Amino acid sequence: MEHHQYLRSPPQALSQSNLSLFSSIQLVDFQWKLGMAVSSDSCRSLKYPYVAVLLKVADHSGQVKNKCFEMTIPQFQNFYRQFKEIAAVIETV
Amino acid sequence: MAAELEGSKALGGLLSGLAQEAFHGHQGITEELLRSQLYPEVSLEEFRPFLAKMRGILKSIASADMDFNQLEAFLTAQTKKQGGITSDQAAVISKFWKNHKTKIRESLMNQSRWDSGLRGLSWRVDGKSQSRHSAQIHTPVAIMELEIGKSGQESEFLCLEFDEVKVSQLLKKLSEVEESISTLMQPA
C-alpha cells in the first residue's frame, strides 16, 4: 500500500485539499531570458530588468503546452531561494 | 487666472487624482469630479487648461523617471516659464513625486508587462514510501504550485511535479540566471 507523507512544508504550504496529484504536470523544459525593458509609450525611461520564463509542461495525456510568465528581479530571487530550499529538503528525504 | 488655481493646498489632492487616473488605472476620475471636489470656485473653462498643465508636468516627471536633481531642475524651469507654476506649487509637486514615485513606477512597469506575471508560489515535498513486506522505496517528489496571471485577468494555477533529478537540473538553470543577473548589475 502506497501512501504519501508530508515531510516538510513552508508556512504557506499547499493544503492537500487544493492539490490533487492527478492534476499535477511534469516540467519538460525550462527556458529563460533576462531582458531589460528600456522604454514604452507610457514611460520613456522604464529601465527595469526582468526574467522571462517559458515552461514546457506535459499533462498525463502527454500533451505538451507552453506557459510563459515574467518575474521582476526580486521575484526571481525569491523563486530561486524557495527552489534552493526545496532542493535542501528533498536531499534529506 | 483664478486665485484658487495659484494656491497649492488643493494641488496635492489633484496630483493624487491625476496619478490614479493616469497610472493606476482608476476609471471615472473626470475633470468635473476633480474640479468640483478640489476647486469648486473655479469655472470649468479656467480649470481645464490648468489640469492639462499639471497632468503634463506629472507625466513628464514619471516618463523620465526623474531623480531629485532632474526634478529640481525641471520644476525650477517650470516656475520661470510664462504661464508656468508658482514655487509653492513646485514644492507640492516635488513632495508628491518623492512620496509616490515608487508606486507610480510599479504601475508603469505593470502596464508595460503584457505577458503573465508571477503572482504566487507555494510548494511541498512528499515522500512516497511503500510499506507491507516490500522494501522501503523512497522517491521524494517536490510539488510546486505557481500562480500566474495577466494584468486584470484571473490567475492560472500550474501544479508541477519534480523528482530529485529534475530539481537538480532546474536548480542549475536558476543559478545560470542568477549569474546573468549579477553580470548585468555590475557597474559599467
Side-chain angles (χ1 to χ4, degrees):
Chain A
M1 178 163 53
E2 197 177 271
H3 73 272
H4 289 250
Q5 25 166 231
Y6 291 110
L7 295 176
R8 157 69 190 268
S9 336
Q12 70 279 35
L14 298 171
S15 66
Q16 200 167 20
S17 58
N18 40 351
L19 171 64
S20 148
L21 278 179
F22 295 108
S23 68
S24 67
I25 50 186
Q26 299 290 323
L27 184 65
V28 172
D29 194 19
F30 176 100
Q31 291 179 19
W32 61 271
K33 168 175 83 188
L34 177 63
M36 176 71 87
V38 173
S39 190
S40 76
D41 68 334
S42 53
C43 187
R44 291 291 183 267
S45 183
L46 271 177
K47 46 181 200 322
Y48 74 86
Y50 62 90
V51 177
V53 170
L54 170 66
L55 301 175
K56 286 194 196 279
V57 295
D59 62 20
H60 287 276
S61 71
Q63 196 186 25
V64 178
K65 286 196 178 134
N66 287 348
K67 302 283 179 191
C68 305
F69 63 92
E70 270 182 38
M71 293 182 264
T72 61
I73 299 304
Q75 278 182 324
F76 168 76
Q77 284 166 340
N78 178 53
F79 184 91
Y80 186 29
R81 184 175 42 241
Q82 302 259 8
F83 211 79
K84 279 192 269 198
E85 244 188 272
I86 292 175
V89 170
I90 211 170
E91 236 181 82
T92 67
V93 174
Chain B
M1 178 160 66
E4 294 85 357
L5 292 180
E6 295 208 332
S8 51
K9 264 197 267 173
L11 185 55
L14 187 72
L15 293 170
S16 279
L18 282 172
Q20 283 296 328
E21 187 254 334
F23 308 119
H24 308 310
H26 198 297
Q27 316 280 9
I29 297 183
T30 60
E31 267 176 357
E32 181 49 35
L33 180 71
L34 292 171
R35 187 203 70 81
S36 60
Q37 294 289 308
L38 299 163
Y39 297 89
E41 308 298 309
V42 179
S43 72
L44 196 56
E45 292 74 43
E46 276 206 271
F47 183 66
R48 219 169 246 150
F50 170 74
L51 184 66
K53 176 170 67 186
M54 290 305 168
R55 183 189 282 121
I57 287 174
L58 188 58
K59 282 197 160 178
S60 293
I61 295 170
S63 190
D65 188 32
M66 288 186 191
D67 63 29
F68 303 130
N69 289 330
Q70 290 169 309
L71 183 66
E72 201 61 40
F74 176 73
L75 289 175
T76 304
Q78 295 297 312
T79 60
K80 302 213 156 95
K81 263 170 73 164
Q82 175 76 284
I85 60 179
T86 66
S87 49
D88 282 346
Q89 290 174 333
V92 172
I93 295 169
S94 178
K95 187 167 171 220
F96 181 83
W97 180 241
K98 284 174 187 170
N99 289 336
H100 293 94
K101 175 180 170 141
T102 307
K103 255 191 99 188
I104 289 175
R105 232 182 108 58
E106 219 178 281
S107 284
L108 286 171
M109 276 162 58
N110 287 337
Q111 269 179 24
S112 69
R113 176 188 299 135
W114 301 314
D115 235 335
S116 296
L118 182 64
R119 289 178 177 169
L121 162 66
S122 41
W123 58 271
R124 69 164 200 260
V125 174
D126 281 2
K128 286 188 218 183
S129 59
Q130 279 189 301
S131 54
R132 274 261 195 131
H133 316 304
S134 48
Q136 299 280 334
I137 300 167
H138 288 286
T139 52
V141 157
I143 299 168
M144 182 185 252
E145 184 182 73
L146 295 174
E147 181 185 355
I148 65 178
K150 295 194 182 176
S151 187
Q153 290 180 19
E154 265 184 46
S155 291
E156 185 183 355
F157 290 87
L158 298 174
C159 200
L160 306 171
E161 233 183 64
F162 300 86
D163 60 20
E164 253 183 294
V165 171
K166 285 231 164 89
V167 167
S168 176
Q169 287 170 348
L170 185 51
L171 200 62
K172 183 160 183 289
K173 288 212 172 185
L174 295 179
S175 77
E176 287 167 3
V177 181
E178 177 78 359
E179 222 180 285
S180 276
I181 293 172
S182 297
T183 308
L184 182 69
M185 301 306 214
Q186 259 165 33

